[in-house]
Amino acid sequence: MLKRTIFCTSALWAILCFNGTAMAQEPSLDCEGAKQYLVQQYSRSDPANNEKYYNIWSSPQCVQARKNAELSVDPGIESNEQLIRSRSPDYDTRLAKIPALCEPIVEKRWSGASEKFRAEQKKSELLTSCIRNQSHALRAEYLNRVNEQSEAQYAEKLKLNQQKIAADQKTDADRQAAYEIKMDEWRDAVKRCNAGEIRYCSLRF
């Protein structure tokens, strides 16, 4: 189930949506720092800092960095999705539902946005960013599940292997014990035969 935390209640969530899975890095710490402030430290009681970091985040340099990041796809994503699809037949079904999940999120943010925000942003871009982030979150969810399944399968395989080793060791021990009993019987028969007890001389082991 897609975690509810994906549907962030913060008023700035939709503003900050962009593809976090891309490999391209922010051009400077200022862009990343501004994003982290707006996501984690935004406060209605500190409008000066809010404005300062929003201006950094919305600067041409940071906007261009995000566009570059959107075009730079992690080559591991495709192989990850192939792995997910091989083990989770419902992945594509849930992936296809993401646009419908994002539409009301973006619509709510857009309807409550200021004129300045609407002038600086594009609704379609917010929707695209939301879809990318939701897709990333879904992919991470399934990868975690695959990893957990792999760990469980490894643990089960290890357990079965240890059980087989223990069973083999017991079989060997039982075989060795039976052999020792036979040898004890043979040695006793030889001893009795040599002592003149003829009936033991005919025993063959």
Side-chain angles (χ1 to χ4, degrees):
M1 176 178 179
L2 193 60
K3 297 180 180 177
R4 293 290 182 184
T5 52
I6 302 303
F7 304 109
C8 181
T9 57
S10 168
L12 287 171
W13 185 89
I15 306 176
L16 301 173
C17 286
F18 63 90
N19 186 4
T21 66
M23 296 185 68
Q25 302 296 315
E26 298 285 1
S28 72
L29 292 178
D30 286 339
C31 295
E32 180 64 22
K35 182 188 73 174
Q36 291 304 319
Y37 173 87
L38 293 171
V39 171
Q40 300 175 5
Q41 298 173 260
Y42 178 88
S43 172
R44 293 180 183 278
S45 63
D46 193 359
N49 262 336
N50 295 343
E51 185 72 13
K52 170 187 172 183
Y53 287 108
Y54 177 77
N55 287 338
I56 293 174
W57 183 85
S58 60
S59 67
Q61 182 186 26
C62 294
V63 169
Q64 186 60 49
R66 289 192 292 279
K67 288 182 179 179
N68 291 342
E70 290 174 356
L71 296 175
S72 179
V73 180
D74 186 339
I77 290 178
E78 184 176 354
S79 61
N80 285 340
E81 290 196 324
Q82 289 176 352
L83 175 62
I84 290 170
R85 289 186 175 99
S86 69
R87 300 195 183 186
S88 307
D90 65 331
Y91 175 70
D92 283 320
T93 300
R94 290 187 61 186
L95 201 63
K97 293 179 180 179
I98 287 179
L101 294 174
C102 278
E103 285 174 2
I105 296 174
V106 174
E107 187 62 41
K108 182 178 180 180
R109 176 67 187 100
W110 191 260
S111 63
S114 65
E115 290 299 324
K116 178 181 178 182
F117 175 80
R118 292 188 184 187
E120 294 174 343
Q121 305 295 326
K122 290 183 179 180
K123 193 175 181 180
S124 60
E125 291 180 356
L126 293 181
L127 180 61
T128 299
S129 295
C130 177
I131 291 172
R132 285 197 183 99
N133 280 273
Q134 296 280 14
S135 299
H136 167 66
L138 184 66
R139 184 166 55 252
E141 176 191 336
Y142 274 82
L143 282 176
N144 287 336
R145 186 184 302 173
V146 167
N147 288 336
E148 289 172 359
Q149 290 171 348
S150 297
E151 290 174 3
Q153 290 170 355
Y154 173 77
E156 181 63 20
K157 186 178 293 185
L158 181 61
K159 178 183 176 182
L160 293 175
N161 188 50
Q162 290 173 335
Q163 289 175 344
K164 185 177 185 305
I165 291 173
D168 289 345
Q169 290 175 338
K170 184 178 184 304
T171 299
D172 289 342
D174 291 345
R175 187 182 295 114
Q176 183 64 29
Y179 173 77
E180 292 297 338
I181 290 173
K182 279 286 190 181
M183 289 303 298
D184 286 343
E185 291 175 351
W186 181 81
R187 282 189 288 266
D188 182 65
V190 171
K191 182 178 179 181
R192 287 173 180 268
C193 176
N194 291 338
E197 296 185 49
I198 302 301
R199 66 191 181 93
Y200 286 98
C201 294
S202 61
L203 294 179
R204 296 289 185 271
F205 295 96

